[in-house]
Amino acid sequence: MDVIEEFIKNQQLSKREYEEILKLWKNPEVFQRLSKEAVKIRKQHYGDRVFTRGLIEFTNYCKNNCYYCGIRGGNSKASRYRLTKEDILECCKNGYELGFRTFVLQGGEDPYFTDEKIADIIREMKSEYPDCAITLSIGEKSYESYRLFREAGADRYLLRHETANEEHYRTLHPSQMSLEERKRCLYQLKELGYQIGAGFMVGSPGQTLSHLAEDMVFLQELQPHMVGIGPFIPHHDTVFAEEKSGSVELTLFLLAMIRIMLPKVLLPATTALGTLDPKGREKGLAAGANVVMPNLSPVKNRKLYELYDNKICTGEEAAECRCCLGRRVESVGYHLVNERGDAVK
Ligand code: SAH
């Protein structure tokens, strides 16, 4: 247990030590100790407030072919859609009325949306909702593209690194993609002044505790403002259709560790966590998470943004999602707030 107390005291460890802690993930006392500390730290910086992000899944076209993802380009069975700029602005209007002050534009890597089109959407969102933060989650782009989006008004960028181990990365992605390129994007986004979010799936095929220890070391080095993690969940039309889902418990254990390592981080209790366990998001908040990301996409498109099987919240209107999440957040003693929810300095 010494290593746990050392981690709590110093908030930083070596890869070997992270792995030592991770080996204890099934031990309830260790989890208790970590999550108690995580909640304490979370309260110091964020009180009992939980931030919301309105997620707008604006295209499920994708030129990439990540083996785990249901909307990968190679999945000929996926039925594809794109929202228009007007659709997107309608989602924002709806969201703004419901109290959202951050909008996340997420999508596959869709060449239809040229840099100019994206910049134009950002500018329009910013001019209509100047008090809102705009987050992009649209994959790997050049430095110039990132700069253009930033100048157009984008504030934040989510780009999970997926795994910090080169070899593991290659087993999850086709050879055109590389961890090096993913990291290049994250560092450049940071340099351009975005608040950046990295992250990974827990229990992706072939993942070991040693890989997760490498993820911890990478996050420690990158110092992102946000970290998105959620369990891997198989999708029936992917190479990994027959693989097992990741563990909810291990995800919660990692959430607590990440909160301790990066005390001020914005840490969502993800939809994937809520998909595998009906109380998953509440448990995430109780393990140190402080963000939820309900869906603002039009209901008719929701089911089609199918990254994995059985994704929750695909049938409700945004207002219902907001109310439902509000209740869930209250049930564990926190409050949803209508703010941008920037990372604290
Ligand atoms: N195209 C964007 C957005 C990707 S979707 C990008 O490349 O960043 C957002 C996240 O969903 C991914 O980063 C991945 O970590 C997660 N995801 C994809 N497939 C998943 C699956 N089968 N189970 C759990 N999470 C998945």
Side-chain angles (χ1 to χ4, degrees):
M1 294 291 231
D2 289 352
V3 68
I4 307 279
E5 294 311 318
E6 193 198 321
F7 177 44
I8 287 172
K9 200 162 127 242
N10 298 328
Q11 296 160 12
Q12 288 207 8
L13 294 175
S14 65
K15 186 199 158 198
R16 195 186 46 75
E17 292 165 317
Y18 282 128
E19 195 173 344
E20 206 179 309
I21 295 188
L22 282 162
K23 283 185 181 150
L24 302 170
W25 73 272
K26 288 185 180 162
N27 180 328
E29 278 158 39
V30 174
F31 176 63
Q32 285 279 313
R33 179 73 188 100
L34 290 174
S35 61
K36 192 174 149 219
E37 189 64 25
V39 165
K40 191 175 108 191
I41 295 170
R42 177 234 185 283
K43 288 205 164 145
Q44 269 165 18
H45 298 296
Y46 294 99
D48 60 2
R49 293 136 42 90
V50 171
F51 299 129
T52 54
R53 293 19 179 140
L55 190 62
I56 305 171
E57 299 155 336
F58 72 105
T59 173
N60 72 349
Y61 283 85
C62 193
K63 68 176 166 63
N64 286 338
N65 205 22
C66 308
Y67 300 145
Y68 43 83
C69 184
I71 65 166
R72 73 206 164 82
N75 180 8
S76 57
K77 295 201 185 129
S79 124
R80 307 283 171 174
Y81 74 92
R82 285 184 185 111
L83 301 188
T84 62
K85 182 166 78 176
E86 291 67 37
D87 293 333
I88 294 172
L89 289 166
E90 190 58 35
C91 294
C92 295
K93 180 165 178 277
N94 189 9
Y96 193 87
E97 283 162 9
L98 291 168
F100 290 94
R101 295 297 177 267
T102 291
F103 300 119
V104 183
L105 282 179
Q106 189 179 85
E109 291 197 19
D110 179 357
Y112 167 85
F113 285 99
T114 57
D115 290 353
E116 241 341 292
K117 285 203 179 87
I118 295 283
D120 178 52
I121 293 169
I122 297 169
R123 279 187 216 107
E124 196 127 344
M125 285 169 71
K126 259 299 185 217
S127 80
E128 288 204 32
Y129 305 100
D131 54 335
C132 293
I134 298 178
T135 306
L136 300 178
S137 178
I138 54 175
E140 299 173 13
K141 308 274 175 186
S142 69
Y143 183 84
E144 276 314 304
S145 308
Y146 288 150
R147 198 168 61 104
L148 180 73
F149 304 153
R150 181 89 184 104
E151 281 166 5
D155 304 279
R156 309 185 186 136
Y157 208 104
L158 303 177
L159 187 77
R160 291 184 177 182
H161 63 282
E162 313 296 359
T163 172
N165 178 277
E166 300 266 4
E167 225 169 290
H168 187 221
Y169 193 94
R170 282 195 292 272
T171 67
L172 299 178
H173 303 92
S175 57
Q176 298 89 316
M177 295 179 73
S178 72
L179 178 60
E180 196 187 348
E181 179 64 5
R182 205 83 183 161
K183 287 187 178 172
R184 188 269 304 158
C185 292
L186 282 163
Y187 281 105
Q188 291 189 340
L189 287 162
K190 198 173 191 194
E191 188 185 315
L192 284 163
Y194 285 92
Q195 294 177 38
I196 59 162
F200 53 88
M201 290 173 289
V202 179
S204 57
Q207 186 182 64
T208 62
L209 294 179
S210 161
H211 294 153
L212 289 170
E214 286 179 59
D215 287 317
M216 293 298 287
V217 171
F218 174 63
L219 292 175
Q220 185 172 295
E221 174 192 298
L222 178 68
Q223 294 285 317
H225 308 83
M226 309 170 277
V227 174
I229 68 164
F232 160 76
I233 305 173
H235 181 284
H236 58 277
D237 286 324
T238 60
V239 190
F240 296 138
E242 304 301 323
E243 299 286 334
K244 281 202 324 246
S245 290
S247 154
V248 169
E249 285 69 33
L250 179 54
T251 305
L252 298 171
F253 193 93
L254 281 154
L255 284 172
M257 283 180 77
I258 293 168
R259 169 63 62 203
I260 294 169
M261 181 174 76
L262 302 169
K264 297 177 181 174
V265 77
L266 294 160
L267 195 60
T270 54
T271 306
L273 197 53
T275 295
L276 283 191
D277 181 332
K279 286 266 183 304
R281 285 168 298 177
E282 290 88 325
K283 290 178 185 174
L285 295 172
N290 63 336
V291 173
V292 288
M293 301 177 65
N295 207 310
L296 283 182
S297 314
V299 175
K300 66 176 184 344
N301 304 113
R302 294 253 185 114
K303 188 86 192 78
L304 301 178
Y305 197 80
E306 190 182 46
L307 306 176
Y308 46 81
D309 289 341
N310 306 315
K311 191 171 156 217
I312 53 167
C313 308
T314 56
E316 292 90 359
E317 292 292 343
E320 285 174 69
C321 284
R322 170 83 186 182
C323 288
C324 161
L325 262 178
R327 281 193 303 274
R328 287 173 183 272
V329 167
E330 297 281 334
S331 79
V332 278
Y334 296 108
H335 304 289
L336 276 187
V337 294
N338 298 347
E339 293 172 23
R340 276 172 58 115
D342 289 294
V344 294
K345 292 259 159 55

